[in-house]
Amino acid sequence: MGQVLINQKGFQWLRTGHPWVYRSDLPDLERVSPEPGSVVAVLGPGEKFLGQAFCNPRSQITLRMLTRSRDPIEKDFWKRRIEAAIERRGALARDKERAVRLIHGESDGLPSVILDRYGDVLVFQTLSAGADRLKETFIEIFEDVLKPAGIVERNDAPVRDLEGLVKQKGVVRGNLPRPLFFKEGGLKFSVDPLEGQKTGAFLDQAENHVAARNYVRGRALDLFSYQGGFALSVATAAQEVLAVDSSAPALAALQENAALNGIGNVTTWEANGFDFLRECDERKETFDAVILDPPPFVRDKKNVTGAVRGYKEINLRALKILKPGGILITCSCSQNFTPEMFEETLKEASRDTRRELQVLERRGAAPDHPVLLTFPESNYLQCWILRVL
C-alpha cells in the first residue's frame, strides 16, 4: 500500500470528520505518484497514521476516506460495509414493491458507490476511480447478498469526467425485465433504469411526493415535473394538476403513469419552466399551489452566484402567480447551494413580492438517503412547504 502525506491544513480538515481531502492539501502527491483508484495510507504531520483512503491524483477530490483504522481493505471489508448499509434500511430493504436506495455513498461508508433497487433489479454507480476499480468485486457481493434477477450499471453521470473515467451503462448481470414497476405512496410507476434520470427515478424525493398531497388542493402547477412523482401524488387530492416539463419523453412517461393509476385530472405541457412562469404572470393566471423541483442549478462552487439568481427568479415568479392562501412547494438539489443560501433566497423572494410566507415544513431527502453529519454535501436536497398569507 502506498502512503500519502497531508499538510496541516488538510489534517485540521480531516479532524472535522469530513471524508474528502483535496489535492491542494497533499504536498508530496507528485513525488509518490499513486495510481488512480488505489487505496493508500493517509499520514498527517509527523507521519502520524490517520486512516486509509481511495486516491486519485487526477481529481481535485484526491482522497476519499475509507476508514480511520488499519483494517485490511479486502473483499470481506466491502461485504461487511454493504451488508451493514442494507441492514440499516430495515423493512424498506425487504419490501420489493417499493424502490429503495440501498447504498448512499459516503453516508454509508462506501465513498462514491450508489446502489438502488427496483423490484428484483439492482442499479449501481461507481462514481470515483477507487470505486470503479472495484466494480467487479461489488457486483459479486451484490449477487451474493441480494440475489437479484438483474444488475444494471448507470455510470453515465457527468461527475465521472472529473475522475478521468469513461461513461458507460448497460445490463452487466442477468436480465432487465420490461416494463419494470415500483410503488410509491400507493401509486404505481414504470421505470427504465437504462434511460431515466439518475438510476431511473428520483428516489430521494419519495417521501416529499407523498407529503405534498397533504397540502395541495384546488388547481396545482407542477414545474419540472419529470415523470410525475409530485404531479400524480397531489392529483389524488387536487381538483386538477398542470404538469410542465421541457422533456417530451418525460411527459410521455408521466401520461403513461397517470393511465397506469387511473388518474385523469393531470394535463401535461411541454415548456421551459422559467418561460412558463413568466407567461403565466403576464396573462394573470393563478394557481392554488405551485411545485418547483428544478434540476441542479449549481454544478460547482464557481457558479453559485448565477445559481442564486436562478433560484430567486423561479421562486419569485411562482409567488406572483399563487392565490392568497396558496401553497408553494419548492426544492433544491444542489449540494453547493446550502440550506442557509436557500432560506435567504426565499426570504428575498418574499420581500420582493411583498408576500408573507408561513413555513409549514422543511424537509430533506428520504431516510434511505441518509445525511452524514460531518459531510454537508450529503445534505443536498431541500424541500420547503410554505403558505402565502
Side-chain angles (χ1 to χ4, degrees), residues 1-2 33-40 53-58 62 64 66 73 78 111-113 124-140 153 155 160 163-166 168:
M1 181 184 296
S33 189
E35 186 177 346
S38 59
V39 175
V40 298
F54 283 145
C55 182
N56 185 3
R58 298 174 180 171
T62 309
R64 298 173 188 264
L66 300 172
I73 308 295
W78 297 114
S112 61
V113 179
F124 77 90
Q125 296 176 305
T126 45
L127 301 176
S128 71
D132 202 60
R133 192 172 179 176
L134 290 164
K135 185 164 59 179
E136 288 302 318
T137 297
F138 291 143
I139 291 172
E140 289 174 8
E153 175 181 11
N155 275 323
R160 284 175 64 91
E163 291 283 316
L165 300 172
V166 298
Q168 49 198 12

Side-chain angles (χ1 to χ4, degrees), residues 298-319:
V298 190
R299 293 292 182 183
D300 55 58
K301 293 181 179 179
K302 295 181 291 186
N303 298 322
V304 168
T305 301
V308 169
R309 287 196 296 267
Y311 280 117
K312 180 179 177 181
E313 179 184 351
I314 198 170
N315 282 282
L316 186 147
R317 292 192 179 279
L319 289 176

Side-chain angles (χ1 to χ4, degrees), residues 31-315:
R31 180 182 62 81
V32 298
S33 189
E35 186 177 346
S38 59
V39 175
V40 298
V42 181
L43 306 180
E47 298 193 357
K48 177 183 178 182
F49 177 82
L50 302 176
Q52 301 173 75
F54 283 145
C55 182
N56 185 3
R58 298 174 180 171
S59 173
Q60 289 296 327
I61 304 172
T62 309
L63 299 181
R64 298 173 188 264
M65 297 300 296
L66 300 172
T67 176
R68 307 294 173 123
S69 74
R70 298 181 184 271
D71 293 345
I73 308 295
E74 52 194 13
K75 187 173 181 178
D76 283 347
F77 173 90
W78 297 114
K79 186 176 182 181
R80 290 194 302 270
R81 289 274 172 108
I82 289 168
E83 288 177 331
I86 295 168
E87 181 62 26
R88 283 192 286 268
R89 270 64 182 179
L92 183 57
R94 297 187 289 273
D95 183 356
K96 291 193 175 181
E97 287 195 328
R98 296 178 62 175
V100 59
R101 173 150 297 183
L102 295 173
I103 299 174
H104 191 50
E106 280 78 352
S107 293
D108 280 309
L110 291 147
S112 61
V113 179
I114 301 298
L115 181 67
D116 292 341
R117 192 196 65 212
Y118 301 93
D120 281 326
V121 174
L122 301 178
V123 188
F124 77 90
Q125 296 176 305
T126 45
L127 301 176
S128 71
D132 202 60
R133 192 172 179 176
L134 290 164
K135 185 164 59 179
E136 288 302 318
T137 297
F138 291 143
I139 291 172
E140 289 174 8
I141 297 172
F142 297 158
E143 287 186 302
D144 180 33
V145 173
L146 294 163
K147 298 176 174 53
I151 301 179
V152 174
E153 175 181 11
R154 274 302 300 266
N155 275 323
D156 54 347
V159 70
R160 284 175 64 91
D161 294 335
L162 304 177
E163 291 283 316
L165 300 172
V166 298
K167 295 177 185 175
Q168 49 198 12
K169 62 181 179 178
V171 179
V172 296
R173 293 287 194 279
N175 299 300
L176 174 59
R178 302 220 177 148
L180 182 63
F181 302 102
F182 69 94
K183 285 189 175 180
E184 179 184 287
L187 299 175
K188 192 175 183 180
F189 292 85
S190 64
V191 60
D192 186 344
L194 282 175
E195 299 300 332
Q197 295 284 342
K198 292 193 172 182
T199 64
F202 291 102
L203 303 186
D204 50 2
Q205 288 279 30
E207 295 200 357
N208 297 329
H209 293 158
V210 177
R213 72 172 64 142
N214 296 326
Y215 299 94
V216 174
R217 300 292 184 271
R219 186 169 184 248
L221 171 64
D222 178 24
L223 280 172
F224 311 99
S225 58
Y226 187 49
Q227 297 181 359
F230 275 113
L232 300 182
S233 180
V234 302
T236 61
Q239 181 180 352
E240 60 176 309
V241 180
L242 177 57
V244 177
D245 200 281
S246 60
S247 167
L251 292 176
L254 190 156
Q255 291 167 343
E256 291 176 10
N257 286 328
L260 196 62
N261 291 281
I263 294 174
N265 61 337
V266 176
T267 303
T268 57
W269 190 264
E270 184 180 346
N272 174 278
F274 285 88
D275 294 341
F276 189 84
L277 282 174
R278 185 178 61 253
E279 292 165 3
C280 286
D281 186 29
E282 289 172 352
R283 60 177 178 260
K284 306 301 180 185
E285 185 174 4
T286 59
F287 295 85
D288 298 291
V290 175
I291 301 168
L292 303 175
D293 187 18
F297 290 163
V298 190
R299 293 292 182 183
D300 55 58
K301 293 181 179 179
K302 295 181 291 186
N303 298 322
V304 168
T305 301
V308 169
R309 287 196 296 267
Y311 280 117
K312 180 179 177 181
E313 179 184 351
I314 198 170
N315 282 282

Side-chain angles (χ1 to χ4, degrees), residues 3 7 9 11-12 65 70 99 113 123 142 165 169 201 217 237-238 240 248 272 294 318 328 336 338 363 375 378:
Q3 297 182 338
N7 60 20
K9 178 170 168 282
F11 172 64
Q12 294 299 331
M65 297 300 296
R70 298 181 184 271
V113 179
V123 188
F142 297 158
L165 300 172
K169 62 181 179 178
R217 300 292 184 271
E240 60 176 309
N272 174 278
L328 173 64
N336 292 307
T338 66
R363 304 178 59 88
F375 183 42
S378 62

